[in-house]
């Protein structure tokens, strides 16, 4: 497991779930409750000027998007621009998340390599269908955190249930 105060399940954020942490299933016994996020502003990861503007709009959370908002040919450029934005832009009180590509794609490794050592509130994990997927992601992220002087467990996860099978399974 991780350092004191960081258990294997503390990176899973469950702030906007009406049923509370128990709704994410048996694979995750407890979740760290985050403040309710009323506004999430999604910004394409390949639009640096839009990221700059988003920083001043006062959203509860800014989500820098590597997934659907970015064409496949622009993914690498988007990773670089997000990296630059996280290093240079002051997002004020807004929490900053990066929506990575789906765990089932070959893009996930490059996404994690690009953003894990940077200051962000967490990762938005799209198209999540099983708790085992999040556990696998947890191991990958923990390994990167350990290599990059980031406290293990510091990078939170917000799982998006976007498919009928993901909703039916409720991450069991």
């Amino acid at each position: 497991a991780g350092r004191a105060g960081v258990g294997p399940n503390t990176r899973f954020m469950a702030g906007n779930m009406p049923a509370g942490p128990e709704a994410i299933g048996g694979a995750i016994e407890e979740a760290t409750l985050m403040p309710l996020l009323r506004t999430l502003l999604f910004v394409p990861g390949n639009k640096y000027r839009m990221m700059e503007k988003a920083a001043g709009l006062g959203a509860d959370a800014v989500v820098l998007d590597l997934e659907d908002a970015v064409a496949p040919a622009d993914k690498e450029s988007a990773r670089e621009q997000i990296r630059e934005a996280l290093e240079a832009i002051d997002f004020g009180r807004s929490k900053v998340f990066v929506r990575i590509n789906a765990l089932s794609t070959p893009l996930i490794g490059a996404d994690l390599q690009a953003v894990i050592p940077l200051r962000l509130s967490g990762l938005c994990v799209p198209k999540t269908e099983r708790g085992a997927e999040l556990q696998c992601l947890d191991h990958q992220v923990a390994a990167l955190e350990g290599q990059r002087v980031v406290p293990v467990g510091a990078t939170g996860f917000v799982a998006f249930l976007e498919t009928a099978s993901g909703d039916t399974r409720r991450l069991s």
Side-chain angles (χ1 to χ4, degrees), residues 51-70:
M51 289 185 254
E52 289 178 315
K53 184 172 183 177
L57 295 177
D60 291 335
V62 174
V63 181
L64 308 178
D65 197 350
L66 281 170
E67 197 209 14
D68 291 342
V70 179

Side-chain angles (χ1 to χ4, degrees), residues 78-157:
R79 288 184 196 102
E80 292 171 16
Q81 290 182 60
I82 286 175
R83 185 177 192 81
E84 289 174 22
L86 290 171
E87 291 172 345
I89 298 173
D90 179 3
F91 287 90
R93 294 185 190 175
S94 297
K95 295 197 174 300
V96 181
F97 293 89
V98 172
R99 181 162 78 160
I100 57 177
N101 285 283
L103 300 176
S104 60
T105 70
L107 303 169
I108 189 67
D111 290 353
L112 297 177
Q113 290 284 339
V115 302
I116 290 305
L118 305 173
R119 60 178 174 88
L120 66 148
S121 301
L123 301 172
C124 292
V125 187
K127 299 174 182 75
T128 306
E129 295 192 6
R130 293 183 174 87
E133 293 172 327
L134 292 174
Q135 290 174 329
C136 181
L137 178 64
D138 179 48
H139 293 298
Q140 293 173 7
V141 171
L144 287 170
E145 287 170 334
Q147 294 170 7
R148 303 208 173 144
V149 196
V150 175
V152 173
T155 306
F157 298 162

